[in-house]
Amino acid sequence: MNINDVARRRCEKLLLLAARTLDSDETLAKRYVSLARRIAARHRLPLGNKAFCKECGLPWIPGKTVRVRLGRKRAGSGKTVLYTCVCKNTRRFPYSKKTKENKQIKH
Ligand SMILES: [Zn+2]
């Protein structure tokens, strides 16, 4: 097991903790997210785009902290999914059934 595996596991654990802590302590949840982001940046690990809000650092839990909507179809661009955070930050993702984006951390 190399150092990147250790770092990735730590990120996964921190994001999981962040999601679990959200109900009881939002500040702590955000802190877990920022720790995960820091580790990921140091080790150049790709964190999932949908695990947390890049604006406010809140862990994204569909139906709770983030609203997920299918976007309008536009010519040539295919379907999109719209993620709207409670802080009003909005992100658009391409939508396809093959996507692995549901995982918090891509491998
Ligand atoms: Zn946000």
mmCIF file of all heavy atoms in Angstrom, residues 53-58 60 65 85-89, ligand 1:
data_model
loop_
_atom_site.group_PDB
_atom_site.id
_atom_site.type_symbol
_atom_site.label_atom_id
_atom_site.label_comp_id
_atom_site.label_asym_id
_atom_site.label_seq_id
_atom_site.Cartn_x
_atom_site.Cartn_y
_atom_site.Cartn_z
ATOM 1 N N CYS A 53 -19.845 20.859 -1.587
ATOM 2 C CA CYS A 53 -19.953 22.126 -2.298
ATOM 3 C C CYS A 53 -18.602 22.820 -2.310
ATOM 4 O O CYS A 53 -17.965 22.946 -1.267
ATOM 5 C CB CYS A 53 -20.988 23.022 -1.613
ATOM 6 S SG CYS A 53 -21.092 24.667 -2.335
ATOM 7 N N LYS A 54 -18.178 23.258 -3.481
ATOM 8 C CA LYS A 54 -16.872 23.904 -3.561
ATOM 9 C C LYS A 54 -16.927 25.349 -3.099
ATOM 10 O O LYS A 54 -15.899 25.977 -2.886
ATOM 11 C CB LYS A 54 -16.336 23.808 -4.988
ATOM 12 C CG LYS A 54 -15.831 22.413 -5.239
ATOM 13 C CD LYS A 54 -15.223 22.239 -6.607
ATOM 14 C CE LYS A 54 -14.704 20.803 -6.699
ATOM 15 N NZ LYS A 54 -14.398 20.401 -8.057
ATOM 16 N N GLU A 55 -18.121 25.888 -2.954
ATOM 17 C CA GLU A 55 -18.262 27.256 -2.478
ATOM 18 C C GLU A 55 -18.281 27.326 -0.955
ATOM 19 O O GLU A 55 -17.510 28.050 -0.356
ATOM 20 C CB GLU A 55 -19.549 27.887 -3.029
ATOM 21 C CG GLU A 55 -19.510 28.161 -4.516
ATOM 22 C CD GLU A 55 -18.444 29.177 -4.903
ATOM 23 O OE1 GLU A 55 -18.248 30.151 -4.153
ATOM 24 O OE2 GLU A 55 -17.793 28.983 -5.948
ATOM 25 N N CYS A 56 -19.174 26.554 -0.343
ATOM 26 C CA CYS A 56 -19.334 26.676 1.104
ATOM 27 C C CYS A 56 -18.746 25.484 1.869
ATOM 28 O O CYS A 56 -18.669 25.503 3.083
ATOM 29 C CB CYS A 56 -20.804 26.870 1.477
ATOM 30 S SG CYS A 56 -21.838 25.425 1.179
ATOM 31 N N GLY A 57 -18.304 24.441 1.153
ATOM 32 C CA GLY A 57 -17.646 23.320 1.804
ATOM 33 C C GLY A 57 -18.572 22.357 2.526
ATOM 34 O O GLY A 57 -18.127 21.503 3.289
ATOM 35 N N LEU A 58 -19.850 22.490 2.282
ATOM 36 C CA LEU A 58 -20.822 21.611 2.927
ATOM 37 C C LEU A 58 -20.860 20.262 2.199
ATOM 38 O O LEU A 58 -20.867 20.231 0.978
ATOM 39 C CB LEU A 58 -22.192 22.278 2.844
ATOM 40 C CG LEU A 58 -23.212 22.004 3.937
ATOM 41 C CD1 LEU A 58 -22.698 22.494 5.279
ATOM 42 C CD2 LEU A 58 -24.512 22.685 3.604
ATOM 43 N N TRP A 60 -22.365 17.322 0.349
ATOM 44 C CA TRP A 60 -23.596 17.282 -0.429
ATOM 45 C C TRP A 60 -24.344 15.987 -0.220
ATOM 46 O O TRP A 60 -23.847 14.905 -0.541
ATOM 47 C CB TRP A 60 -23.273 17.463 -1.908
ATOM 48 C CG TRP A 60 -23.272 18.897 -2.303
ATOM 49 C CD1 TRP A 60 -23.517 19.956 -1.495
ATOM 50 C CD2 TRP A 60 -23.011 19.432 -3.598
ATOM 51 N NE1 TRP A 60 -23.435 21.131 -2.222
ATOM 52 C CE2 TRP A 60 -23.133 20.826 -3.497
ATOM 53 C CE3 TRP A 60 -22.696 18.855 -4.824
ATOM 54 C CZ2 TRP A 60 -22.936 21.664 -4.587
ATOM 55 C CZ3 TRP A 60 -22.500 19.686 -5.916
ATOM 56 C CH2 TRP A 60 -22.623 21.086 -5.795
ATOM 57 N N THR A 65 -28.783 18.744 1.600
ATOM 58 C CA THR A 65 -27.988 19.961 1.414
ATOM 59 C C THR A 65 -27.898 20.361 -0.050
ATOM 60 O O THR A 65 -27.441 21.439 -0.376
ATOM 61 C CB THR A 65 -26.551 19.787 1.950
ATOM 62 O OG1 THR A 65 -25.975 18.644 1.336
ATOM 63 C CG2 THR A 65 -26.555 19.625 3.451
ATOM 64 N N CYS A 85 -26.860 23.787 -4.320
ATOM 65 C CA CYS A 85 -26.527 23.721 -2.904
ATOM 66 C C CYS A 85 -27.448 24.636 -2.100
ATOM 67 O O CYS A 85 -28.088 25.534 -2.654
ATOM 68 C CB CYS A 85 -25.074 24.141 -2.716
ATOM 69 S SG CYS A 85 -24.512 24.101 -1.013
ATOM 70 N N VAL A 86 -27.512 24.441 -0.794
ATOM 71 C CA VAL A 86 -28.297 25.342 0.056
ATOM 72 C C VAL A 86 -27.729 26.763 0.042
ATOM 73 O O VAL A 86 -28.441 27.717 0.341
ATOM 74 C CB VAL A 86 -28.398 24.834 1.523
ATOM 75 C CG1 VAL A 86 -29.345 23.658 1.626
ATOM 76 C CG2 VAL A 86 -27.032 24.465 2.065
ATOM 77 N N CYS A 87 -26.452 26.911 -0.329
ATOM 78 C CA CYS A 87 -25.851 28.247 -0.410
ATOM 79 C C CYS A 87 -26.105 28.891 -1.772
ATOM 80 O O CYS A 87 -25.550 29.940 -2.069
ATOM 81 C CB CYS A 87 -24.349 28.195 -0.135
ATOM 82 S SG CYS A 87 -23.359 27.531 -1.490
ATOM 83 N N LYS A 88 -26.929 28.245 -2.607
ATOM 84 C CA LYS A 88 -27.323 28.738 -3.935
ATOM 85 C C LYS A 88 -26.266 28.495 -5.004
ATOM 86 O O LYS A 88 -26.436 28.902 -6.154
ATOM 87 C CB LYS A 88 -27.689 30.242 -3.927
ATOM 88 C CG LYS A 88 -28.715 30.618 -2.894
ATOM 89 C CD LYS A 88 -30.091 30.125 -3.264
ATOM 90 C CE LYS A 88 -31.099 30.582 -2.218
ATOM 91 N NZ LYS A 88 -32.131 29.608 -1.966
ATOM 92 N N ASN A 89 -25.156 27.908 -4.615
ATOM 93 C CA ASN A 89 -24.165 27.543 -5.614
ATOM 94 C C ASN A 89 -24.749 26.436 -6.493
ATOM 95 O O ASN A 89 -25.310 25.473 -6.003
ATOM 96 C CB ASN A 89 -22.892 27.047 -4.912
ATOM 97 C CG ASN A 89 -21.862 26.513 -5.888
ATOM 98 O OD1 ASN A 89 -21.704 27.040 -6.982
ATOM 99 N ND2 ASN A 89 -21.157 25.467 -5.481
HETATM 100 ZN ZN ZN B 1 -22.719 25.460 -0.922
#
